[in-house]
Amino acid sequence: MPLPAGLAGLVPISAAVRTGDLVALSGCVSLDPATGLARGGTVQDQARDVFAQIAGVLEQAGASLTDVVRCVCYLTDAADAPGLDAVFRETFPVDPPARTTVICGLARPGLLVEIEATAWCG
């Protein structure tokens, strides 16, 4: 599946690959397609934007956020974990998927979170 509009030229990846009932999404970040710069000044803003992107990619694949079985979240600052947790609870209020959170550097300045997801549509 192609990346969301405006992001396709930024990196040489697919937004997601579906094989049978499994949909594996590439990591999503909150970037302004017009500038290629980070969008949103807080981890909550960026995480909400990322989950909206994930929902859009899943819809293209015939799936939804309720089909997500696993997320890997990359944070640039461990102090942002409670903010990410709050958005994760908003996004998955019932039966949240399995999750791993990694503290690391991200490829573009201003990015606070990157999230990849795996969905099962069987």
Side-chain angles (χ1 to χ4, degrees), residues 29-119:
V29 294
S30 184
L31 286 178
D32 181 332
T35 65
L37 299 175
R39 178 170 50 198
T42 68
V43 73
Q44 295 94 327
D45 292 340
Q46 289 189 16
R48 285 184 186 103
D49 181 57
V50 167
F51 280 122
Q53 290 180 53
I54 289 171
V57 172
L58 287 170
E59 184 177 333
Q60 288 180 11
S64 71
L65 287 170
T66 60
D67 297 311
V68 174
V69 295
R70 183 168 191 268
C71 288
V72 179
C73 303
Y74 302 92
L75 286 175
T76 59
D77 188 342
D80 284 334
L84 175 62
D85 289 345
V87 176
F88 204 81
R89 284 186 187 97
E90 291 170 12
T91 305
F92 303 104
V94 179
D95 297 326
R99 180 177 121 189
T100 299
T101 302
V102 178
I103 308 304
C104 64
L106 293 176
R108 293 184 185 255
L111 290 177
L112 304 174
V113 63
E114 180 171 350
I115 301 170
E116 61 183 67
T118 304

